[in-house]
Amino acid sequence: MEQERIRADKLGYEDPIHVDYEATSRCYHRTMDVGLEYIHSHGDANIMIASHNIDICHFPNGIARHFPLRGKSIFGQLLGMCDQLTFPLGQAGYPAYKYVPFGPVADVLPYLSRRAKENSAIMEGAKAEKQIIHRELFRRLRTFQL
């Protein structure tokens, strides 16, 4: 983020980083609203919601009550992050993908570092994911479905 701010200052354009997490979420929600409205009115587009935020990934499900979006909404997260979001979305009939960044370490590391910084709350999600995995494991053990 610091590099992007320095670049923006050097090239004379507006700082591309939102001032705080809430501003980022508001912008993301507005962007999804625009995409979902377009799909509703035109029907000739799909939208990929690429987020590790539980609130953002639940947001489209509320919208889906108003719009027939199954097959139009696609979800994606970085491999190893937020499986507690990916699996239920897939089970609900939404395509849900995991992506793997690749390339030279010098190019990939800053990207992964930013994801880690942006998703510092991901550890809370990891705790929730661990609980979900434990519940599923015990459910399967009780019903002998390993």
Side-chain angles (χ1 to χ4, degrees):
M1 288 188 287
E2 291 81 14
Q3 291 171 340
E4 288 183 43
R5 286 191 165 117
I6 291 168
R7 178 178 167 79
D9 186 53
K10 185 188 289 185
L11 297 176
Y13 60 85
E14 187 178 342
D15 183 350
I17 309 297
H18 290 286
V19 295
D20 57 26
Y21 180 81
E22 289 75 22
T24 302
S25 289
R26 282 191 306 273
C27 179
Y28 202 93
H29 279 273
R30 281 193 313 267
T31 302
M32 281 196 304
D33 279 338
V34 169
L36 295 170
E37 274 297 328
Y38 183 90
I39 291 168
H40 177 66
S41 61
H42 294 84
D44 62 348
N46 295 337
I47 187 169
M48 173 169 266
I49 299 164
S51 176
H52 301 106
N53 181 307
I54 288 174
D55 295 333
I56 286 174
C57 287
H58 287 165
F59 176 75
N61 287 328
I63 296 296
R65 291 185 194 120
H66 305 290
F67 303 120
L69 295 177
R70 228 173 232 97
K72 295 290 186 179
S73 296
I74 302 164
F75 292 84
Q77 287 96 28
L78 180 62
L79 182 64
M81 297 179 86
C82 292
D83 289 339
Q84 76 274 16
L85 297 176
T86 312
F87 296 137
L89 288 165
Q91 289 174 333
Y94 292 98
Y97 296 93
K98 292 294 191 172
Y99 70 95
V100 179
F102 65 95
V105 172
D107 294 339
V108 175
L109 201 52
Y111 173 81
L112 292 173
S113 174
R114 178 160 176 190
R115 296 290 82 71
K117 187 182 258 190
E118 288 175 345
N119 294 297
S120 61
I122 210 67
M123 291 316 293
E124 289 302 314
K127 288 178 190 174
E129 187 166 355
K130 184 178 176 184
Q131 291 172 342
I132 290 167
I133 290 169
H134 280 129
R135 279 196 306 269
E136 179 63 15
L137 177 62
F138 289 121
R139 183 192 69 77
R140 290 182 184 194
L141 286 171
R142 278 193 310 272
T143 60
F144 302 107
Q145 294 180 351
L146 287 177

